[in-house]
Amino acid sequence: MLAEHIPHVETTLHYRNPFELLIAVILSAQCTDKQVNKTTAGLFAKYKTPYDFAALSHEKLASEIKGCGLYRNKSLHIIKTCRILAERYGGRVPGNFNDLQALPGVGRKTANVVLNIAFGQPTFPVDTHIYRVARRLGLSNGNTPRRVEKDLTDLIPAAERGHWHHRLIHFGRSCCTARNPRCAECVVAQYCLKRKKQLMDKEN
């Protein structure tokens, strides 16, 4: 039912290549995609390669990304990551998980996002929206993002993981929100464990 309601969704981050996607995802931590896109529109017009970013001072880049949360730490991480990309990978973004996760500012979720979107690999990144929705709908009872990721990769065929990653994020943002979810409009409310618990509590 959810697939019929949300047939096809893509990332809302704006990027033109794997490198820009990597920077955008690093910036997206505790920041909306809308704000990231606003920031990167000017950023990518000025700095186009890891070499460009690697030459920046921490203060200069921090001032460029100030609209994003945690901008001081992100500035340090981006510059360090770009220096590694320039020195170790010839300015290219590596296409494997271990190399990506070893980069400063790149955690498991960020590495999986880049592999999924930029390289077409069947990873399943789990952010706060997917973690919440998967548990509410009974797709996983995992109590960590990594456990939820395992449950979803076991459940969803490799060819469909990219679609379902974006679909669940969209659903979590538009309907199944953390606060005040729009349960009356939800097309899969009958499967929601949170909703069932609320109804049972009312009856008791």
Side-chain angles (χ1 to χ4, degrees), residues 110-122:
T110 297
N112 279 333
V113 168
V114 173
L115 291 174
N116 182 295
I117 298 174
F119 294 98
Q121 296 186 23

Side-chain angles (χ1 to χ4, degrees), residues 14-23 44 48-50 93 118:
H14 297 167
Y15 70 98
R16 295 169 295 189
N17 53 57
F19 173 66
E20 289 188 355
L21 177 63
L22 174 62
I23 299 302
F44 295 154
K48 303 182 185 301
T49 70
V93 175

Side-chain angles (χ1 to χ4, degrees), residues 8 22 38 41 47-48 70 76 91 122-123 147 151 169 176:
H8 183 70
L22 174 62
K38 182 179 178 181
Y47 316 113
K48 303 182 185 301
L70 307 174
L76 289 171
T123 60
R147 179 64 194 184
D151 289 342
I169 289 176
C176 194

